[in-house]
Short mmCIF file of all heavy atoms in Angstrom, two decimals:
data_model
loop_
_atom_site.label_atom_id
_atom_site.label_comp_id
_atom_site.label_asym_id
_atom_site.label_seq_id
_atom_site.Cartn_x
_atom_site.Cartn_y
_atom_site.Cartn_z
N PRO A 151 -15.27 -40.21 -55.42
CA PRO A 151 -16.19 -39.73 -56.43
C PRO A 151 -15.74 -38.41 -57.02
O PRO A 151 -14.81 -37.76 -56.51
CB PRO A 151 -17.48 -39.51 -55.62
CG PRO A 151 -16.99 -39.15 -54.26
CD PRO A 151 -15.75 -39.96 -54.05
N LEU A 152 -16.37 -37.99 -58.11
CA LEU A 152 -16.13 -36.66 -58.67
C LEU A 152 -16.92 -35.65 -57.83
O LEU A 152 -18.10 -35.42 -58.08
CB LEU A 152 -16.58 -36.64 -60.13
CG LEU A 152 -15.79 -37.58 -61.05
CD1 LEU A 152 -16.38 -37.55 -62.45
CD2 LEU A 152 -14.32 -37.20 -61.11
N PHE A 153 -16.26 -35.12 -56.85
CA PHE A 153 -16.95 -34.23 -55.88
C PHE A 153 -16.79 -32.79 -56.30
O PHE A 153 -15.70 -32.34 -56.70
CB PHE A 153 -16.36 -34.45 -54.50
CG PHE A 153 -17.28 -34.05 -53.39
CD1 PHE A 153 -18.34 -34.89 -53.04
CD2 PHE A 153 -17.14 -32.84 -52.73
CE1 PHE A 153 -19.20 -34.54 -52.03
CE2 PHE A 153 -18.01 -32.47 -51.72
CZ PHE A 153 -19.04 -33.33 -51.36
N PRO A 154 -17.85 -31.98 -56.29
CA PRO A 154 -17.77 -30.60 -56.73
C PRO A 154 -16.87 -29.73 -55.83
O PRO A 154 -16.61 -30.08 -54.70
CB PRO A 154 -19.22 -30.10 -56.69
CG PRO A 154 -20.03 -31.21 -56.19
CD PRO A 154 -19.15 -32.38 -55.85
N GLU A 155 -16.45 -28.63 -56.38
CA GLU A 155 -15.68 -27.69 -55.61
C GLU A 155 -16.60 -27.01 -54.58
O GLU A 155 -17.83 -27.02 -54.70
CB GLU A 155 -15.09 -26.62 -56.53
CG GLU A 155 -14.03 -27.16 -57.48
CD GLU A 155 -12.88 -27.78 -56.74
OE1 GLU A 155 -12.45 -27.20 -55.72
OE2 GLU A 155 -12.39 -28.85 -57.17
N PRO A 156 -16.02 -26.41 -53.50
CA PRO A 156 -16.85 -25.82 -52.44
C PRO A 156 -17.89 -24.84 -52.93
O PRO A 156 -19.00 -24.80 -52.43
CB PRO A 156 -15.80 -25.14 -51.54
CG PRO A 156 -14.55 -25.89 -51.77
CD PRO A 156 -14.58 -26.33 -53.20
N GLU A 157 -17.55 -24.03 -53.97
CA GLU A 157 -18.50 -23.03 -54.41
C GLU A 157 -19.72 -23.65 -55.10
O GLU A 157 -20.72 -23.01 -55.35
CB GLU A 157 -17.85 -22.02 -55.35
CG GLU A 157 -17.22 -22.64 -56.60
CD GLU A 157 -15.76 -22.98 -56.39
OE1 GLU A 157 -15.36 -23.06 -55.20
OE2 GLU A 157 -15.02 -23.15 -57.36
N GLU A 158 -19.62 -24.95 -55.44
CA GLU A 158 -20.72 -25.62 -56.11
C GLU A 158 -21.60 -26.42 -55.14
O GLU A 158 -22.52 -27.11 -55.54
CB GLU A 158 -20.19 -26.56 -57.18
CG GLU A 158 -19.40 -25.88 -58.27
CD GLU A 158 -18.81 -26.88 -59.26
OE1 GLU A 158 -19.05 -28.08 -59.09
OE2 GLU A 158 -18.15 -26.44 -60.22
N GLU A 159 -21.31 -26.34 -53.83
CA GLU A 159 -22.01 -27.17 -52.88
C GLU A 159 -23.53 -26.91 -52.86
O GLU A 159 -24.31 -27.79 -52.54
CB GLU A 159 -21.45 -26.99 -51.46
CG GLU A 159 -20.11 -27.67 -51.26
CD GLU A 159 -19.67 -27.64 -49.84
OE1 GLU A 159 -20.41 -27.06 -49.00
OE2 GLU A 159 -18.62 -28.19 -49.53
N GLY A 160 -23.92 -25.71 -53.22
CA GLY A 160 -25.34 -25.40 -53.24
C GLY A 160 -26.14 -26.24 -54.21
O GLY A 160 -27.36 -26.33 -54.11
N GLU A 161 -25.45 -26.88 -55.15
CA GLU A 161 -26.11 -27.70 -56.16
C GLU A 161 -26.34 -29.11 -55.69
O GLU A 161 -27.05 -29.87 -56.32
CB GLU A 161 -25.29 -27.70 -57.46
CG GLU A 161 -25.07 -26.32 -58.05
CD GLU A 161 -24.17 -26.40 -59.28
OE1 GLU A 161 -23.83 -27.50 -59.70
OE2 GLU A 161 -23.82 -25.33 -59.77
N LEU A 162 -25.72 -29.50 -54.56
CA LEU A 162 -25.86 -30.85 -54.09
C LEU A 162 -27.18 -31.07 -53.35
O LEU A 162 -27.65 -30.21 -52.65
CB LEU A 162 -24.72 -31.19 -53.10
CG LEU A 162 -23.34 -31.33 -53.66
CD1 LEU A 162 -22.34 -31.53 -52.53
CD2 LEU A 162 -23.26 -32.49 -54.64
N GLN A 163 -27.82 -32.24 -53.58
CA GLN A 163 -29.00 -32.59 -52.83
C GLN A 163 -28.55 -33.00 -51.45
O GLN A 163 -27.71 -33.85 -51.26
CB GLN A 163 -29.74 -33.73 -53.52
CG GLN A 163 -31.04 -34.10 -52.79
CD GLN A 163 -31.75 -35.23 -53.47
OE1 GLN A 163 -31.28 -35.73 -54.49
NE2 GLN A 163 -32.86 -35.62 -52.94
N LYS A 164 -29.17 -32.42 -50.41
CA LYS A 164 -28.75 -32.66 -49.04
C LYS A 164 -29.89 -33.27 -48.24
O LYS A 164 -31.05 -33.07 -48.54
CB LYS A 164 -28.32 -31.34 -48.38
CG LYS A 164 -27.15 -30.65 -49.06
CD LYS A 164 -26.86 -29.31 -48.40
CE LYS A 164 -27.96 -28.31 -48.73
NZ LYS A 164 -27.63 -26.94 -48.23
N LEU A 165 -29.50 -34.01 -47.22
CA LEU A 165 -30.46 -34.50 -46.22
C LEU A 165 -30.39 -33.51 -45.06
O LEU A 165 -29.36 -33.38 -44.41
CB LEU A 165 -30.10 -35.90 -45.76
CG LEU A 165 -30.96 -36.50 -44.65
CD1 LEU A 165 -32.42 -36.63 -45.11
CD2 LEU A 165 -30.44 -37.88 -44.21
N VAL A 166 -31.48 -32.79 -44.81
CA VAL A 166 -31.48 -31.67 -43.87
C VAL A 166 -32.33 -32.01 -42.65
O VAL A 166 -33.46 -32.51 -42.76
CB VAL A 166 -32.02 -30.40 -44.53
CG1 VAL A 166 -32.03 -29.25 -43.54
CG2 VAL A 166 -31.14 -30.02 -45.72
N PHE A 167 -31.79 -31.73 -41.47
CA PHE A 167 -32.53 -31.88 -40.22
C PHE A 167 -32.62 -30.50 -39.57
O PHE A 167 -31.59 -29.83 -39.37
CB PHE A 167 -31.83 -32.82 -39.26
CG PHE A 167 -31.86 -34.27 -39.69
CD1 PHE A 167 -30.90 -34.75 -40.54
CD2 PHE A 167 -32.84 -35.12 -39.26
CE1 PHE A 167 -30.90 -36.06 -40.97
CE2 PHE A 167 -32.86 -36.44 -39.67
CZ PHE A 167 -31.90 -36.92 -40.51
N ASP A 168 -33.82 -30.08 -39.21
CA ASP A 168 -33.99 -28.81 -38.51
C ASP A 168 -34.48 -29.09 -37.09
O ASP A 168 -35.47 -29.83 -36.91
CB ASP A 168 -35.00 -27.93 -39.25
CG ASP A 168 -35.20 -26.61 -38.52
OD1 ASP A 168 -34.19 -25.90 -38.32
OD2 ASP A 168 -36.36 -26.30 -38.15
N ASP A 169 -33.79 -28.56 -36.13
CA ASP A 169 -34.19 -28.69 -34.73
C ASP A 169 -35.12 -27.49 -34.39
O ASP A 169 -34.64 -26.36 -34.31
CB ASP A 169 -32.93 -28.67 -33.83
CG ASP A 169 -33.29 -28.95 -32.38
OD1 ASP A 169 -34.48 -28.84 -32.01
OD2 ASP A 169 -32.36 -29.26 -31.60
N PRO A 170 -36.43 -27.76 -34.18
CA PRO A 170 -37.36 -26.65 -33.94
C PRO A 170 -37.15 -25.92 -32.60
O PRO A 170 -37.72 -24.87 -32.39
CB PRO A 170 -38.73 -27.34 -33.99
CG PRO A 170 -38.46 -28.75 -33.64
CD PRO A 170 -37.11 -29.07 -34.20
N SER A 171 -36.31 -26.50 -31.74
CA SER A 171 -36.07 -25.83 -30.46
C SER A 171 -35.01 -24.73 -30.56
O SER A 171 -34.77 -24.02 -29.61
CB SER A 171 -35.63 -26.87 -29.42
OG SER A 171 -34.34 -27.42 -29.76
#
Side-chain angles (χ1 to χ4, degrees):
L152 296 176
F153 203 78
E155 294 299 320
E157 59 268 18
E158 299 176 0
E159 285 189 358
E161 300 176 7
L162 289 175
Q163 183 180 0
K164 299 175 291 187
L165 176 62
V166 178
F167 291 86
D168 180 57
D169 186 344
S171 66

